[in-house]
Amino acid sequence: NSKVIQTPRYLVKGQGQKAKMRCIPEKGHPVVFWYQQNKNNEFKFLINFQNQEVLQQIDMTEKRFSAECPSNSPCSLEIQSSEAGDSALYLCASSPGTGVYEQYFGPGTRLTVL
Amino acid sequence: QQKVQQSPESLTVSEGAMASLNCTFSDGTSNNFRWYRQHSAKGLEVLVSIFSDGEKEEGRFTAHLNRANLHVSLHIREPQPSDSAVYLCAVSTYNVLYFGSGTKLTVEP
């Protein structure tokens, strides 16, 4: 069973508000991924980190999305100005490494933008 | 970009009958393929990962990969009602997972 911790589990924001969610990877996993799962079960990779460094990221939705994985603190994903289309389940996964290693997912943060 | 499609969209089987799920992908150069399941309001649980053509078994779950046909399947032996969930196929390309839209499996007692 995955030991990735995500908080909060549910987040409700108004349009234009900031939304911030956090992820604590499994102990010993230096690689962290963020994915977005929309209501149609479509997944979108957002960004990944190895230790504190960004490995890969998509063009972060007009710069409204930002993420970081500081040393000795939870990783975070923040939406600066939420839009209705951002409503989704945000999944964090951690991995012992890149390539063939498994990605272990947390339960997700369900964001609803009213 | 990798395109992943799953079929059927939903599947109902009786407890104990084999359940078979299919997944096709667009780029055969990917080197690993995974099946996850997702119970409602929960995260994804990895079931089986397969890296080369052929078969890989993990308990009651067996994956078959045919890279030439761009196809990977999952077979669930003796499914139970607790196996009712959404099953997701994922193809890894350069560390990123590309998911299908899932098959909703219902196992009836």
Side-chain angles (χ1 to χ4, degrees):
Chain A
N1 287 332
S2 172
K3 299 176 179 63
V4 175
I5 299 171
Q6 288 190 250
T7 57
R9 292 293 306 277
Y10 300 92
L11 193 54
V12 179
K13 294 292 178 182
Q15 295 202 45
Q17 290 187 318
K18 280 187 188 179
K20 187 168 185 175
M21 55 203 83
R22 293 175 176 82
C23 170
I24 300 175
E26 281 200 37
K27 192 173 181 180
H29 286 192
V31 184
V32 173
F33 301 79
W34 285 99
Y35 292 88
Q36 178 194 65
Q37 181 185 12
N38 69 18
K39 63 179 181 180
N40 296 322
N41 261 359
E42 294 165 338
F43 286 75
K44 183 198 287 189
F45 163 77
L46 297 176
I47 192 169
N48 58 2
F49 293 83
Q50 182 155 15
N51 297 312
Q52 292 78 52
E53 302 298 320
V54 174
L55 287 178
Q56 300 155 290
Q57 64 179 332
I58 62 166
D59 181 15
M60 294 284 265
T61 320
E62 302 165 15
K63 311 298 183 191
R64 292 186 301 108
F65 287 63
S66 61
E68 61 176 2
C69 269
S71 176
N72 298 319
S73 293
C75 297
S76 64
L77 177 68
E78 185 171 52
I79 306 173
Q80 295 298 320
S81 178
S82 301
E83 299 177 354
D86 298 329
S87 295
L89 183 67
Y90 289 84
L91 291 161
C92 175
S94 72
S95 179
T98 57
V100 299
Y101 290 94
E102 297 290 359
Q103 295 183 27
Y104 297 92
F105 285 80
T109 293
R110 171 79 60 190
L111 172 65
T112 302
V113 182
L114 302 175
Chain B
Q1 180 174 315
Q2 183 73 257
K3 303 289 185 193
V4 181
Q5 292 190 300
Q6 290 186 239
S7 64
E9 283 189 18
S10 63
L11 178 65
T12 299
V13 299
S14 298
E15 186 174 1
M18 177 79 78
S20 296
L21 290 67
N22 295 295
C23 175
T24 58
F25 47 92
S26 60
D27 180 358
T29 60
S30 297
N31 61 1
N32 63 82
F33 305 83
R34 294 165 184 169
W35 284 95
Y36 289 87
R37 75 178 170 190
Q38 186 176 32
H39 289 103
S40 51
K42 292 188 179 179
L44 277 62
E45 172 192 5
V46 60
L47 300 173
V48 58
S49 298
I50 186 165
F51 306 111
S52 55
D53 282 353
E55 180 179 299
K56 174 84 176 291
E57 182 177 312
E58 295 282 358
R60 295 183 295 110
F61 302 96
T62 302
H64 290 263
L65 173 63
N66 184 324
R67 208 186 300 260
N69 288 342
L70 302 175
H71 182 261
V72 60
S73 60
L74 177 69
H75 304 274
I76 307 172
R77 183 168 40 88
E78 299 176 2
Q80 300 151 16
S82 58
D83 291 321
S84 297
V86 174
Y87 287 76
L88 294 155
C89 170
V91 179
S92 179
T93 304
Y94 301 114
N95 304 317
V96 174
L97 292 177
Y98 294 90
F99 288 87
S101 296
T103 292
K104 183 176 181 181
L105 176 66
T106 302
V107 182
E108 294 181 334

